[in-house]
Amino acid sequence: MLRRLTASLTLKLVVLIGLFVALPIVLYGQFESADSQMRALVTRAIQDRSALIAEALAPVLRDTDPAAPMNMNRELEKYASSGTVLKLMYQPPAARSASRFFLVGSAPPLAPEAVSAELEELSQRGLLQRLSEACTWNAADEMRYRRADGTVELLTSIIPIRARGNCWILTTTHVASDFLNTSIGRPYWETREVRIAAAIYLVGAMLAVLVALGMRLSLRRFRNVADEIALGRAVDATFVERNTVPELAGVARDFDRLVHELRRVSREIRQSAEDNAHAFKTPLAAVQSALRPVRRAVPEDDSRARRALEIVDSSLARLLGLVNAAQRHDMGTADIIDAPRMPTELAPLVEEAARQVQEILAAREIGLVLKLERGIAVRTAAGMLEAALQAVLENAISFSPGGTAVTVSLHASTDTVELRVEDEGPGIDPEKIERLFERYFSSRPDDGIGSDRSVKHSGLGLWIVRRNVEALGGQVKVANRPSHGFSVTMVLPRFVIH
């Protein structure tokens, strides 16, 4: 069972799908965690850089008189860099309660007419209130907000600077997504790297799915060809014609070669059976013809000669029967190899077999009980299942005492069909059950029930039953019944009639 599971292509495909689903989730979690750490480091680096700029500006601000005109653009430009906006704000002591600030420097510099608009935007964003709190508590702060058009997120560090009892605020603003090319300011899945990786993954997944579907379709084509051959619809092997995968071309050729060889062997077996039967029947017929004048010439009162003629006639009849049995056996073998497997409903087949044994049942005063479910079908070649059922019925009848009954039941599950024949005879020695399917083995007693002296048994009945049933993909089970009697159960794959 374990080997079957590990060799299953379906199981491997399920595992592969599971890996395709789980792998990106695990990797995304790991990469997102690493990116979060990178964002924390970048943010801390921004804050540290702003603090260093503030430390550098502190001596200059100590020497600056707030009452005199100020233009700190030149000082800020010393520390400006591409993508970074520096602003220096000043809050007069008298304006602290009103959270008013003056913009005294900017890098890059702002035009005088743009200062009022800049302060108004800072006020609307709530930045001025945050500046006032930074002055009150002398604590650095950080704020993120989007531009008026909502497209770009800005990261602003707020650093208070104390000089000569006055509060100055240095703001350092960065476009978040551009700083060190991290995902600051946007979800991690929106980063360029993740989207490229996702696109590559999706392409790989689609290719894997296409390969799996291609293999499945190719195997299905092979199965359809095999079904057509089994049903007798394909005159010639067509695996190569139906195959579209170059890598399976060799397998298709091997299948075609195998089908060709099986058909050739089947034809040779049939031809050999016919030739052998003809070769034996011709001299037997000649002997029977030669005996006719001898039989007429022997006097009626010569009992010894008459007895000799009866023995010769009996032997000839037995030889002819053996020749016919051998011919049927060989033809059955050929049918197993090559005969079309057609969907066949079992209930009518069982009823026909029952009609054929009605005379024997009546002569031996044995009843027949049929418990059949309708609409149950299997795929079988003509005569294969009939021969098996006939052998089992004849066996059950020969071991049944008069006044008893043989029961034939037919039941089906989702995938299988059970055809059971039960008698009320003596059963069989448990030690001999394993040998019942051996060729030429017979468990019939010399006298009593089951001896059946009127028929010469060859010991091939149950062997033929198992051969035919296994050729149809089934199995045969035999067992003694708990009370008395014997049962033979044929389990076959079910064919669902649509």
Side-chain angles (χ1 to χ4, degrees):
M1 183 66 179
L2 180 60
R3 179 179 296 180
R4 184 180 180 89
L5 287 176
T6 54
S8 172
L9 291 177
T10 302
L11 178 62
K12 292 176 181 177
L13 181 60
V14 171
V15 172
L16 182 62
I17 293 174
L19 289 176
F20 265 109
V21 173
L23 184 61
I25 295 175
V26 174
L27 292 180
Y28 182 84
Q30 295 294 322
F31 290 152
E32 186 179 33
S33 176
D35 186 74
S36 297
Q37 297 177 12
M38 177 64 74
R39 291 200 304 267
L41 290 174
V42 169
T43 303
R44 182 61 182 271
I46 293 173
Q47 294 172 347
D48 291 345
R49 183 172 181 271
S50 300
L52 289 174
I53 296 174
E55 289 292 333
L57 289 174
V60 177
L61 297 178
R62 291 190 191 101
D63 297 334
T64 301
D65 183 5
M70 293 179 288
N71 188 351
M72 303 298 293
N73 290 350
R74 185 173 297 176
E75 289 296 329
L76 293 177
E77 287 178 353
K78 295 178 182 179
Y79 310 104
S81 61
S82 176
T84 301
V85 178
L86 301 177
K87 295 186 180 70
L88 185 62
M89 317 285 289
Y90 170 68
Q91 185 182 46
R96 290 178 183 175
S97 60
S99 300
R100 292 179 57 193
F101 285 86
F102 294 95
L103 180 63
V104 296
S106 176
L110 286 174
E113 60 273 11
V115 173
S116 298
E118 182 71 15
L119 290 173
E120 180 64 24
E121 182 178 351
L122 294 177
S123 176
Q124 292 178 358
R125 298 293 179 185
L127 188 59
L128 293 182
Q129 179 63 30
R130 302 283 286 273
L131 297 182
S132 180
E133 292 173 357
C135 282
T136 301
W137 302 103
N138 194 30
D141 198 359
E142 177 188 325
M143 184 175 181
R144 296 184 184 185
Y145 61 94
R146 291 187 178 273
R147 286 181 177 172
D149 57 8
T151 57
V152 179
E153 185 173 11
L154 303 176
L155 175 63
T156 300
S157 293
I158 302 172
I159 306 295
I161 305 172
R162 289 288 180 178
R164 298 174 63 177
N166 297 312
C167 180
W168 307 76
I169 295 292
L170 174 67
T171 64
T172 308
T173 302
H174 304 272
V175 176
S177 60
D178 289 343
F179 198 86
L180 290 183
N181 197 29
T182 68
S183 62
I184 292 177
R186 53 180 168 166
Y188 182 60
W189 59 268
E190 288 186 358
T191 58
R192 179 171 177 269
E193 293 80 3
V194 172
R195 293 191 173 187
I196 292 176
I200 294 174
Y201 170 80
L202 290 176
V203 171
M206 290 177 62
L207 289 176
V209 169
L210 290 176
V211 170
L213 289 177
M215 291 296 296
R216 181 178 177 84
L217 291 175
S218 297
L219 294 177
R220 180 174 292 180
R221 293 190 191 97
F222 276 34
R223 180 179 179 179
N224 292 339
V225 174
D227 286 342
E228 291 179 8
I229 292 174
L231 294 173
R233 297 173 183 170
V235 178
D236 299 318
T238 55
F239 287 101
V240 171
E241 295 178 2
R242 300 289 183 87
N243 177 50
T244 58
V245 180
E247 289 77 9
L248 295 178
V251 178
R253 285 194 296 270
D254 290 341
F255 281 169
D256 283 346
R257 190 179 302 112
L258 177 62
V259 172
H260 175 76
E261 287 300 313
L262 288 174
R263 286 174 171 169
R264 182 185 62 80
V265 170
S266 178
R267 288 193 299 269
E268 290 183 356
I269 290 175
R270 287 192 176 92
Q271 186 64 45
S272 176
E274 293 175 359
D275 293 345
N276 291 336
H278 183 268
F280 281 104
K281 287 179 179 179
T282 299
L284 289 176
V287 172
Q288 287 177 329
S289 298
L291 283 176
R292 291 192 187 98
V294 175
R295 188 178 294 106
R296 288 193 296 268
V298 173
E300 291 292 337
D301 56 351
D302 192 345
S303 59
R304 186 175 180 181
R306 289 290 177 182
R307 176 60 181 163
L309 288 175
E310 290 176 0
I311 293 174
V312 173
D313 286 338
S314 175
S315 298
L316 288 174
R318 175 168 171 73
L319 283 174
L320 186 60
L322 290 175
V323 170
N324 291 331
Q327 185 178 12
R328 288 195 301 271
H329 175 270
D330 290 343
M331 289 298 186
T333 302
D335 288 340
I336 289 175
I337 296 174
D338 192 37
R341 307 291 199 267
M342 303 299 295
T344 303
E345 190 172 351
L346 288 184
L349 184 147
V350 174
E351 290 170 343
E352 177 61 27
R355 280 192 291 270
Q356 293 178 3
V357 296
Q358 282 296 335
E359 294 184 4
I360 301 177
L361 292 169
R364 299 192 179 194
E365 299 182 348
I366 299 172
L368 181 63
V369 179
L370 301 181
K371 299 179 180 178
L372 309 178
E373 291 183 12
R374 298 287 173 178
I376 299 175
V378 298
R379 285 175 57 170
T380 177
M384 287 183 62
L385 201 53
E386 291 89 337
L389 180 57
Q390 182 179 7
V392 175
L393 280 174
E394 291 176 352
N395 196 67
I397 293 170
S398 66
F399 279 95
S400 296
T404 62
V406 174
T407 302
V408 182
S409 57
L410 175 63
H411 304 285
S413 62
T414 304
D415 300 318
T416 59
V417 174
E418 284 193 1
L419 178 59
R420 181 178 290 114
V421 178
E422 299 173 303
D423 62 53
E424 299 176 12
I428 187 174
D429 185 351
E431 296 182 357
K432 296 181 178 180
I433 286 182
E434 295 298 326
R435 298 192 59 195
L436 284 180
F437 297 108
E438 294 180 7
R439 297 181 67 176
Y440 308 117
F441 175 80
S442 177
S443 62
R444 294 182 180 277
D446 294 332
D447 296 300
I449 299 174
S451 58
D452 203 6
R453 292 178 174 273
S454 60
V455 180
K456 187 66 176 179
H457 296 276
S458 62
L460 291 175
L462 287 179
W463 179 83
I464 293 175
V465 171
R466 186 176 68 172
R467 182 199 66 175
N468 288 9
V469 171
E470 290 183 350
L472 297 174
Q475 57 179 330
V476 183
K477 302 176 183 178
V478 294
N480 286 316
R481 298 177 65 188
S483 55
H484 60 280
F486 192 68
S487 71
V488 179
T489 304
M490 292 175 277
V491 183
L492 296 161
R494 183 177 184 179
F495 180 85
V496 179
I497 301 177
H498 297 286

